[in-house]
Amino acid sequence: MSALKAAILMDSVAGIKPAKDTTFAMLLAAQARGHQCWVFTLSDLFLRDGCSWGRLRVIVVRDGVEDYYTLGELEERPLADMNVVLMRKDPPVGLEYLTACYLLEHAGTWVVNDPISLRNANEKLYALHFPDFLPPLLVSRDLGDLRAFLVEHGEIVVKPLSARGGEGVFYLHLQDRNVGSILETVTGWGQHYVMAQRYLPAIREGDKRILLVDGVPVLGAMLRVPSASDFRGNLVAGAQAVAAELTDRDQEICAAIGPALRAAGLLFVGLDVIGGYVTEINVTSPTGAREIKRFCGVDAADLLWQRLERGR
């Protein structure tokens, strides 16, 4: 198979943590398979006369060293010159992210994940299409609704709809005297929708990250176990990553959700599962590939390139 030309839209490569970064894993896997990659950021993406362009730099990567990348000279070229464009910009999903997805519709080449589906598949709300696998939840911006949900369940978690890494996520219980202040803060005094979910005690055992490539789960997973001082299963919030296996329940979840992801052009997705319930479906720039490869020996990034080599 001939080498692919791939442009990767991401945050600045200078700011990543290569030992943990899944986009870096994708660059390593592409290079190992003989493909050539360019990188660019949101500020390098623009549209001219109906076609999307990028200010691109070819990249060479090296694993396990501090000097982990070399960038080539700036090249201004249409994205249609590429075989594929990977959209790997990190959340939050704000106006600039959504605008980039509109521009990527006019790339003139294959964009992964599909930019229309990226706009449609909010990482907190997309799971609503699969109600059999969800914990009790409420989406509202009404403070009374949220208080009533807390009274009903006793313990809940509230989270903003477009953040990442556990940002703005709160655990609430009936005896918490800060409930009013927290709900006012997360909703902006009732101006912003939030999701409330019944608290799942299984979080103490860990928040499982399952990666799917073209709708098929990677054979191995990562469990993110919260620190003793925090309830959040996010690595950036201090959770510890440990190896995990896919249970029968996990396989059932993936069998139900995977075909919908494939049909939507969402080729690289991360499911978050706590106690057998899906809490989020991560489509923007899901992580975990480095850890899962280290724990289980399965390279999700390489599996992605195998799929991209087969074409649309």
Side-chain angles (χ1 to χ4, degrees):
M1 194 218 73
S2 59
L4 298 177
K5 295 188 295 183
I8 293 137
L9 178 55
M10 59 184 294
D11 292 304
S12 172
V13 68
I16 67 171
K17 297 179 179 179
K20 298 181 177 182
D21 194 273
T22 293
T23 305
F24 187 73
M26 291 177 178
L27 289 166
L28 287 170
Q31 189 170 282
R33 298 183 70 85
H35 305 311
Q36 188 171 21
C37 292
W38 288 255
V39 293
F40 65 128
T41 65
L42 281 190
S43 61
D44 299 315
L45 173 66
F46 63 99
L47 184 143
R48 186 168 63 204
D49 298 328
C51 299
S52 292
W53 290 58
R55 284 180 281 271
L56 312 175
R57 293 180 185 272
V58 72
I59 186 169
V60 176
V61 289
R62 296 171 288 277
D63 199 11
V65 296
E66 291 187 11
D67 181 23
Y68 59 89
Y69 71 95
T70 300
L71 294 177
E73 296 296 321
L74 190 69
E75 305 175 40
E76 191 171 287
R77 56 194 299 179
L79 296 181
D81 287 354
M82 301 289 126
N83 299 110
V84 65
V85 174
L86 299 186
M87 176 49 155
R88 290 287 302 177
K89 171 73 180 69
D90 282 343
V93 179
L95 181 59
E96 294 305 302
Y97 185 99
L98 295 173
T99 300
C101 288
Y102 284 116
L103 298 186
L104 289 173
E105 281 188 66
H106 304 278
T109 191
W110 193 13
V111 181
V112 176
N113 285 326
D114 180 82
I116 297 174
S117 294
L118 285 176
R119 294 201 305 271
N120 291 339
N122 176 279
E123 297 187 321
K124 307 299 188 296
L125 300 178
Y126 187 64
L128 297 176
H129 293 287
F130 311 97
D132 291 346
F133 305 108
L134 302 184
L137 61 84
L138 168 74
V139 179
S140 180
R141 63 186 213 176
D142 183 88
L143 301 181
D145 290 347
L146 294 163
R147 281 184 175 275
F149 188 76
L150 174 59
V151 170
E152 179 182 356
H153 293 287
E155 297 175 283
I156 65 172
V157 171
V158 293
K159 58 180 73 172
L161 298 181
S162 298
R164 66 174 184 130
E167 295 172 358
V169 179
F170 291 91
Y171 161 77
L172 298 179
H173 58 88
L174 288 172
Q175 289 72 44
D176 192 337
R177 298 174 65 184
N178 293 305
V179 166
S181 178
I182 289 171
L183 293 179
E184 291 160 5
T185 299
V186 296
T187 66
W189 284 87
Q191 297 301 305
H192 308 297
Y193 282 99
V194 298
M195 175 176 283
Q197 294 174 331
R198 186 184 70 190
Y199 175 70
L200 299 172
I203 184 60
R204 299 312 314 170
E205 302 167 12
D207 181 350
K208 185 178 291 186
R209 166 57 56 87
I210 301 170
L211 293 177
L212 295 94
V213 177
D214 199 23
V216 178
V218 172
L219 296 180
M222 169 178 64
L223 202 62
R224 296 164 295 179
V225 181
S227 68
S229 61
D230 206 318
F231 73 96
R232 294 171 295 175
N234 302 93
L235 298 182
V236 295
Q240 180 182 2
V242 299
E245 296 181 351
L246 299 185
T247 65
D248 290 343
R249 172 67 168 181
D250 297 332
Q251 295 284 7
E252 180 187 3
I253 290 169
C254 293
I257 296 177
L261 299 175
R262 184 184 305 113
L266 297 168
L267 266 64
F268 197 89
V269 173
L271 299 185
D272 290 343
V273 178
I274 301 173
Y277 291 102
V278 176
T279 58
E280 294 185 14
I281 299 179
N282 297 273
V283 301
T284 52
S285 58
T287 61
R290 296 285 265 171
E291 291 84 356
I292 290 172
K293 182 180 180 182
R294 187 167 73 249
F295 295 145
C296 308
V298 182
D299 190 348
D302 186 73
L303 292 173
L304 175 64
W305 287 105
Q306 291 181 43
R307 172 62 186 89
L308 296 176
E309 290 165 5
R310 297 198 297 270
R312 288 199 239 193

